[in-house]
């Protein structure tokens, strides 16, 4: 059902597109105001809590962002079908600050 470039875990799965990291979470049992999405360092935390008179339903999931993904660029969208999509652009290959800096050779 899911593409080879995805990881699935219960309510959610992680997907890597060409230039985007996506987390898809099934939250169809929750209203938008019952959802909370936040980033702490390089982790995305998804929390949901639904309270009724006789019971409470909740979940909490965290996802570690891939190296090089800027937590400030994380966005979310909720579909009418109850699928929460959390996405962030993946770093461009060859533009990774951890890969160092090319030092030109000076000919003397």
């Amino acid at each position: 059902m899911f593409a080879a470039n995805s990881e699935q875990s219960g309510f959610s799965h992680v997907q890597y597109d060409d230039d985007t990291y996506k987390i898809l979470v099934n939250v169809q049992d929750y209203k938008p105001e019952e959802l909370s999405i936040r980033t702490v360092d390089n982790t995305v935390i998804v929390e949901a809590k639904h309270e009724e008179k006789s019971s409470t339903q909740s979940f909490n999931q965290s996802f570690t962002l891939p190296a090089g993904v800027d937590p400030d660029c994380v966005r979310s969208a909720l579909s009418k079908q109850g699928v929460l999509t959390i996405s962030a652009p993946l770093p461009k290959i060859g533009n990774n600050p951890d890969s160092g800096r090319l030092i030109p050779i000076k000919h003397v």
Side-chain angles (χ1 to χ4, degrees):
M1 179 171 155
F2 296 113
N5 61 344
S6 68
E7 303 166 24
Q8 184 181 357
S9 170
F11 285 106
S12 63
H13 78 273
V14 174
Q15 181 176 313
Y16 296 85
D17 291 339
D18 291 336
D19 58 354
T20 307
Y21 172 77
K22 290 183 182 177
I23 304 164
L24 291 98
V25 185
N26 179 354
V27 293
Q28 66 184 11
D29 296 333
Y30 299 92
K31 297 176 185 173
E33 59 271 14
E34 297 173 330
L35 302 172
S36 169
I37 304 128
R38 59 192 167 99
T39 58
V40 176
D41 298 324
N42 69 331
T43 302
V44 176
I45 299 169
V46 180
E47 298 173 321
K49 187 173 186 179
H50 177 73
E51 294 181 355
E52 293 183 7
K53 292 178 185 175
S54 61
S55 67
T56 299
Q57 180 180 356
S58 66
F59 79 89
N60 181 331
Q61 283 190 291
S62 61
F63 304 87
T64 302
L65 294 170
V69 172
D70 182 356
D72 291 334
C73 293
V74 174
R75 301 288 178 257
S76 68
L78 181 61
S79 75
K80 290 181 181 179
Q81 294 77 26
V83 177
L84 177 66
T85 302
I86 302 164
S87 61
L90 287 169
K92 305 261 188 277
I93 296 174
N95 197 16
N96 186 349
D98 293 336
S99 65
R101 174 177 73 90
L102 185 62
I103 300 172
I105 300 170
K106 182 178 180 182
H107 297 278
V108 289

